Amino acid sequence: MSIATIWVLAEVADGKPTTTSLELITQARALAGTVEAVAWGPATAEIAGALGEYGATTVRDIGDIGDALPGVPVAAAIAGAVSAGQGPDAILFPATYDGRDIAGRLSAKLDRPVLTNVVGLSDDGGLVSQHAIFGGTQVVTARFTGEGPGIFVVRAKSFAAEPSGGAAAAVVPLAGGETGATNTATVVARHVEERSGPKLDEADVVVSGGRGLGDKDSYAMVEELASLLKGAPGASRAIVDAGWVPYAYQVGQTGKTVKPTVYLACGISGATQHLVGMKNSKNIIAINKDQDAPIFTVADLGIVGDVHKVVPKLIEALKARG
Amino acid sequence: MNVVVCVKQIPDPAAPPALDPGTHNLVRSGKLILDDSDAYGVEMALQLVDAAGGGEVTLVSMAPNGETSGLRTALAMGAAKAILVSDETLAGSDALGTAKVLAAAIRRAEPDLVIAATESTDGYTGTTPVQVAELLGLPSVTFAKKVEVDGQTVKVERQTEAGYDEVTSPLPAVVTVTAGVVEPRYPSFKGIMAAKSKPVDTLTAADLGLDGSQVGVGGARQEIVSVVEAEARSAGEVVVDEGDAHERVIQFLEQLKIL
Ligand SMILES: Cc1cc2nc3c(=O)[nH]c(=O)nc-3n(C[C@H](O)[C@H](O)[C@H](O)COP(=O)(O)OP(=O)(O)OC[C@H]3O[C@@H](n4cnc5c(N)ncnc54)[C@H](O)[C@@H]3O)c2cc1C
Ligand SMILES: Nc1ncnc2c1ncn2[C@@H]1O[C@H](COP(=O)(O)O)[C@@H](O)[C@H]1O
């Protein structure tokens, strides 16, 4: 293997490493001899077991960062290690809010470029990354030139997470770095927007609504249909921006990436930024009254019709089945 | 309060995009327009300056061929002036190179607050603003869905995976805004006329003390190895609803054993 060590930024949610972190560790295992995780927070030791199980030998623990936003302190700690000559060949970041912040900060600190929107990574005599562009119609392969670790920001669900059965990762402290005046943004309160049913990015069925629903109240039928199919409701950005549903429902470029068995799009045109978040679904059903809507180019079953006619009948028929 | 808004001028997203077969750079030869994503930042800045009761909005943009049409749109909305960095040596700049240029231009304006979009429509790396913040030695708050300024503090509602965080930061700071943070105004006829005579300061990379090893192709230190067509997902069956299309959906779900 030409790549010795890869670090993966491990994010934690509900006391566990996020699925995307584990996806990256899994892929790193296939590319490098040594895979290590970088983590922060008050209870890093608790995730060492899970990280080891997916192939990380070590957790580089930055420790508690208090109420700071992670971007600055985490990047400073990583930059410190790299400058001291202890850095890896590449660092993989999940394409999350914090992941992007840390990667951007690190890039400027190290004066190294960053490759974002990565959907594939392979070893071609050195690490190369794949990027889906133009709504996923073309794939660009890119690589870094020059010295220093490659900084990659990888989209969720680019790889499948598979355990390696490894032992718990060893927890090794990673010293904080110089932050100057940059580390002064403080989180003063956290708000969780509750939602019921399966999680959008884990559900087997996703029913999404778009502007074609016409008004906010009509979103209720998307929720009802999702619940009848034991799935999760989702949305296009158009109706998130319009304030019909919270941002957590958004599917696409700036929202969630989903890969369910069935994705049902109701009144969604299929803009490229929406498609990149759902076009790898195993099966796609689209209901749209415009037969030329781009969503039909990816749909396995396209229904040219009015959502206000088709969806209520579908709900009725599902209820009748009990 | 003085606010700088980073505004990107991009090819019309409605036109089919293309890569230059030689350089693999995005073709930016046609007329450029204001990235819709940045209209939110311009509006936010105008409202914050209004609320502060004084100051002005300065635009900063890096674009090829001395392009100003996108800047004029933002000036017509109400921004006071613009700094445009345009120079052949900048072609092929990556996000970090772009950030170096923007940071150097922003330094000249000495703003209290810098606003950018969370990501551009054509490049969507989403890292440029944070890189700018790091180069300027400023704190940053990304993914703002609500922004208020109270004296020397900016208060932001920042989107998270689970909901949102309330974040505060001392000024000066860099804030990136999402679409939907505010409703951008349409330029009025008066605004469009006034924009024609608003000052646009055009600079080169050299004016900012940057050379070809830091920006443009030379500064990029990443390269495209290949571009190939993705495996196309073919369109499947299309049914025109005659009042019974829901039955076909049920059948399909049965085939997939969802029902
Ligand atoms: C940087 C950037 C990032 C973005 N990120 C995302 C993202 O993450 N996710 C995302 O979704 N978008 C994203 N977008 C926005 C995207 O470009 C589109 O604007 C958005 O997806 C459109 O949403 P829509 O399909 O609901 O609305 P529209 O495009 O307005 O489509 C509505 C559709 O409904 C159909 N319709 C209307 N009435 C009916 C009816 N009665 N019955 C059936 N059909 C009907 C219409 O034919 C039309 O096709 C992004 C854009 C940018 C610039
Ligand atoms: N060339 C540019 N000129 C001005 N602002 C830019 C430029 N490139 C990026 N930005 C700003 O940074 C944001 C994020 O861009 P990106 O990193 O390309 O996704 C954009 O929405 C702009 O606000």
Side-chain angles (χ1 to χ4, degrees), chain A residues 69 72 96-98 100-101 104-105 107-109 111-117 128 132-134 136-146 181-182 184-193 204-205 229 237 241 247-248 253-254 256 261-262 264 273 279-285 296-306 309-310 313-314 317-318 321, chain B residues 17-19 26 37 40 94-96 100 118-119 121 123-127 130-135 137-143 145 158-170 179-180 219-250 252-254 256 258-259:
Chain A
L69 288 178
V72 170
T96 54
Y97 311 113
D98 292 337
R100 246 168 38 165
D101 277 7
R105 286 273 173 188
S107 152
K109 274 181 190 299
D111 194 19
R112 282 290 289 156
V114 47
L115 283 164
T116 50
N117 286 300
V128 296
I133 61 163
F134 303 159
T137 54
Q138 296 192 34
V139 179
V140 165
T141 299
R143 69 180 189 95
F144 288 109
T145 59
T182 54
T184 46
T186 311
V187 180
V188 291
R190 297 179 202 271
H191 298 265
V192 174
E193 283 162 346
D204 207 29
V205 176
L229 295 170
R237 189 176 95 175
D241 289 351
Y247 176 75
Q253 167 72 30
T254 30
K256 298 259 168 17
T261 306
V262 180
L264 209 162
Q273 296 93 348
K279 75 179 272 222
N280 290 326
S281 302
K282 288 182 202 80
N283 299 278
I284 297 171
I285 307 175
F296 287 131
T297 63
V298 299
D300 302 286
L301 176 61
I303 307 291
V304 181
D306 186 336
K309 296 201 176 115
V310 181
K313 280 191 189 154
L314 194 52
L318 288 168
R321 295 168 65 101
Chain B
L19 293 182
L26 205 59
S37 306
Y40 300 93
D94 63 0
L96 184 56
K100 288 177 183 173
T118 49
E119 59 182 32
T121 301
Y124 56 90
T125 73
T127 55
V130 184
Q131 290 166 321
V132 167
E134 182 64 29
L135 293 167
L138 296 179
S140 56
V141 187
T142 52
F143 268 94
K145 57 176 204 148
R158 177 183 190 245
Q159 279 171 3
T160 62
E161 318 291 332
Y164 67 95
D165 286 351
E166 287 173 50
V167 182
T168 62
S169 169
R221 289 165 295 150
Q222 50 178 258
E223 63 184 19
I224 290 179
V225 183
S226 67
V227 182
V228 297
E229 293 287 320
E231 214 176 295
R233 185 169 184 130
S234 49
E237 173 190 352
V238 175
V239 178
V240 178
D241 181 36
E242 308 276 4
D244 56 2
H246 60 285
E247 289 168 12
R248 179 68 193 98
V249 177
I250 301 257
F252 189 73
L253 294 171
E254 281 173 342
L256 300 174
I258 293 288
L259 294 177

Side-chain angles (χ1 to χ4, degrees), chain B residues 60-63 66 82-88 90 101 104-106 108 200-209:
Chain B
V60 169
S61 188
M62 173 181 121
I83 302 175
L84 171 69
V85 192
S86 190
D87 179 344
E88 274 162 24
L90 298 173
V101 171
I106 291 167
R108 299 195 155 204
V200 177
D201 192 5
T202 304
L203 305 171
T204 62
D207 292 337
L208 294 169

Side-chain angles (χ1 to χ4, degrees), chain B:
Chain B
M1 185 177 61
N2 292 319
V3 183
V4 159
V5 186
C6 297
V7 296
K8 197 167 179 184
Q9 304 181 81
I10 63 167
D12 188 345
L19 293 182
D20 181 303
T23 63
H24 294 314
N25 289 331
L26 205 59
V27 175
R28 297 179 202 273
S29 51
K31 182 173 165 293
L32 303 181
I33 60 170
L34 174 67
D35 187 344
D36 214 24
S37 306
D38 285 321
Y40 300 93
V42 173
E43 179 65 40
M44 188 77 250
L46 291 169
Q47 291 188 14
L48 290 173
V49 166
D50 248 8
E56 59 183 20
V57 175
T58 303
L59 309 168
V60 169
S61 188
M62 173 181 121
N65 311 323
E67 181 66 61
T68 56
S69 34
L71 286 176
R72 294 288 168 205
T73 306
L75 290 168
M77 288 173 71
K81 58 187 198 299
I83 302 175
L84 171 69
V85 192
S86 190
D87 179 344
E88 274 162 24
T89 60
L90 298 173
S93 290
D94 63 0
L96 184 56
T98 305
K100 288 177 183 173
V101 171
L102 297 177
I106 291 167
R107 214 172 262 132
R108 299 195 155 204
E110 294 182 14
D112 301 297
L113 176 66
V114 179
I115 295 181
T118 49
E119 59 182 32
S120 64
T121 301
D122 63 339
Y124 56 90
T125 73
T127 55
T128 309
V130 184
Q131 290 166 321
V132 167
E134 182 64 29
L135 293 167
L136 293 172
L138 296 179
S140 56
V141 187
T142 52
F143 268 94
K145 57 176 204 148
K146 190 171 174 211
V147 185
E148 277 169 8
V149 171
D150 182 2
Q152 278 306 299
T153 305
V154 59
K155 296 182 178 177
V156 171
E157 287 184 11
R158 177 183 190 245
Q159 279 171 3
T160 62
E161 318 291 332
Y164 67 95
D165 286 351
E166 287 173 50
V167 182
T168 62
S169 169
L171 294 177
V174 175
V175 172
T176 74
V177 297
T178 60
V181 66
V182 277
E183 193 53 48
R185 70 192 68 181
Y186 285 104
S188 63
F189 179 70
K190 216 174 121 214
I192 295 169
M193 295 314 288
K196 294 194 164 102
S197 56
K198 287 182 176 172
V200 177
D201 192 5
T202 304
L203 305 171
T204 62
D207 292 337
L208 294 169
L210 295 164
D211 63 44
S213 68
Q214 293 159 294
V215 298
V217 186
R221 289 165 295 150
Q222 50 178 258
E223 63 184 19
I224 290 179
V225 183
S226 67
V227 182
V228 297
E229 293 287 320
E231 214 176 295
R233 185 169 184 130
S234 49
E237 173 190 352
V238 175
V239 178
V240 178
D241 181 36
E242 308 276 4
D244 56 2
H246 60 285
E247 289 168 12
R248 179 68 193 98
V249 177
I250 301 257
Q251 246 178 27
F252 189 73
L253 294 171
E254 281 173 342
Q255 280 164 16
L256 300 174
K257 308 246 186 297
I258 293 288
L259 294 177

